[in-house]
Amino acid sequence: MVLAHVVDAWTRDGDRGRPAYHGAAYAAGLAAPAFLFLAGIGTAMAARSRTRRGLPPPAVARALVVRGGTIFGLAFVFRLQALVLGLGHPIDVLKVDILNVMGPALVAAAAVWHVGGRDGVRAVLAAALTAALAFATPFAFRAAWIEGLPPPLQWYLRPSPGHGHFTLLPWTAFVLAGLSAGVAIAAAAGRRERVVQGALLALAAGVGVAAAWASYQPSIYPPGVSSYWDASPAFFFVRLALVAALVPLAWLLTDLVPGPLRRMLTTLGAASLFVYWVHVELVYGGVAILIKHRVPLELTLPGTLAVAYGLSRLVPVVEAWVAAPAGRPEPVRRLVARLL
């Protein structure tokens, strides 16, 4: 996620036509699907944790819905902050970014978890809805009735240049896919975890190969409805396969990662929402105005590492600040606590 934004915001204009830049941009472009996929896994983990503490399913579902609603609200707070800092235009408050989609998607995941009732049903239902949303996206993008909606609502349903490329479809499907995987992983904690992680890796590989093959076949949609880089299910499932494969690969490599690096990554992952909130302002905001579009491509990786390291050191400081409420502005403390 940090790499994606650093490469986009800092790389100098003269390097943006290089194949290496396009390769880095594509790889970094997996950050958003991964962010949503992991949010779905986190939903399953949170639900299982609350269930183990004795909360009844309706209470668990309500807590998950509140979390989704909170993130949706934070999306507008984030835009208001940018406006106050002079980094945006008033209309940008309504811009659809990843948090605007993540919030409703988490609410949908909570509903699927509750309706499913049992882990097996939840996993299958979430996977089925993932596929349904992916295949419905091309038709949704071109539905005529969308034109009758106010523009801010249209932006949630169809990409609009300048107003964000995140839409409810297909991005919600990444969260539901993560929920499906997370339910299986959470249920298998312990001796069966290796089997589930191996099955997830094999499934991701199979889906990726099938999607790549399908991308070279004649479209199943009428002419003009779908293109690969637009709303194609093949493109969606290629990205889903790549981010899903990262989970078992990370699980397998955990013990091989040096301790300091593992601790840094753990800190960033546990506070991913806070990291997103802060680093976007650092990378795109006024603090970086002197280096935006001026950094050689080769220096964006060291820049990414510097930002990530700085954030990993900032997180525990902020956590300590939140934990000591005396003298803290309560509205600010509550906001930061929700981000953490």
Side-chain angles (χ1 to χ4, degrees):
M1 180 171 57
V2 177
L3 174 63
H5 291 144
V6 168
V7 169
D8 177 61
W10 291 2
T11 302
R12 63 187 179 187
D13 294 336
D15 287 349
R16 291 175 180 263
R18 293 170 53 184
Y21 172 80
H22 293 294
Y26 182 85
L30 294 175
F35 194 26
L36 294 170
F37 185 78
L38 292 174
I41 290 180
T43 297
M45 298 293 186
R48 190 165 188 84
S49 175
R50 289 183 170 91
T51 300
R52 284 178 171 173
R53 295 202 304 266
L55 267 69
V60 173
R62 282 195 299 272
L64 298 177
V65 168
V66 168
R67 179 59 174 167
T70 298
I71 289 179
F72 184 66
L74 288 173
F76 295 98
V77 177
F78 179 79
R79 289 295 169 192
L80 283 171
Q81 171 188 282
L83 182 63
V84 170
L85 294 175
L87 307 177
H89 189 276
I91 193 63
D92 288 343
V93 174
L94 300 178
K95 181 179 178 180
V96 182
D97 213 331
I98 193 167
L99 297 183
N100 298 78
V101 170
M102 181 185 287
L106 290 177
V107 172
V112 171
W113 183 89
H114 184 58
V115 170
R118 294 183 293 109
D119 286 341
V121 177
R122 289 165 179 152
V124 171
L125 179 58
L129 287 174
T130 297
L133 293 181
F135 281 98
T137 298
F139 293 115
F141 277 13
R142 287 159 181 80
W145 58 268
I146 293 178
E147 299 292 341
L149 297 175
L153 293 181
Q154 292 184 30
W155 304 339
Y156 283 87
L157 302 173
R158 179 185 295 165
S160 177
H163 301 110
H165 68 278
F166 290 100
T167 49
L168 291 176
L169 272 64
W171 293 97
T172 296
F174 285 112
V175 174
L176 293 177
L179 176 69
S180 180
V183 166
I185 293 171
R191 58 188 179 87
R192 291 199 301 124
E193 189 170 4
R194 181 177 296 274
V195 175
V196 172
Q197 294 285 1
L200 179 58
L201 181 60
L203 179 61
V207 168
V209 170
W213 172 83
S215 68
Y216 290 98
Q217 307 308 308
S219 176
I220 63 174
Y221 297 94
V225 171
S226 177
S227 64
Y228 181 76
W229 298 106
D230 181 10
S232 166
F235 182 44
F236 169 83
F237 282 111
V238 165
R239 290 182 295 168
L240 176 59
L242 290 172
V243 299
L246 292 176
V247 174
L249 289 175
W251 181 80
L252 288 170
L253 297 175
T254 297
D255 293 336
L256 302 179
V257 178
L261 178 58
R262 183 165 63 247
R263 287 191 293 273
M264 185 182 83
L265 294 175
T266 300
T267 298
L268 295 175
S272 59
L273 183 57
F274 175 81
V275 169
Y276 169 83
W277 190 285
V278 174
H279 95 272
V280 169
E281 294 296 343
L282 288 176
V283 171
Y284 287 103
V287 68
I289 193 169
L290 296 179
I291 60 175
K292 284 193 291 186
H293 289 210
R294 290 182 173 89
V295 178
L297 180 61
E298 289 76 11
L299 295 182
T300 54
L301 180 56
T304 298
L305 294 175
V307 172
Y309 176 76
L311 288 169
S312 71
R313 300 301 298 270
L314 177 63
V315 167
V317 173
V318 174
E319 289 175 338
W321 184 88
V322 169
R328 312 295 193 230
E330 190 58 22
V332 176
R333 195 188 73 85
R334 287 179 178 271
L335 172 61
V336 176
R338 289 188 180 277
L339 294 177
L340 292 170

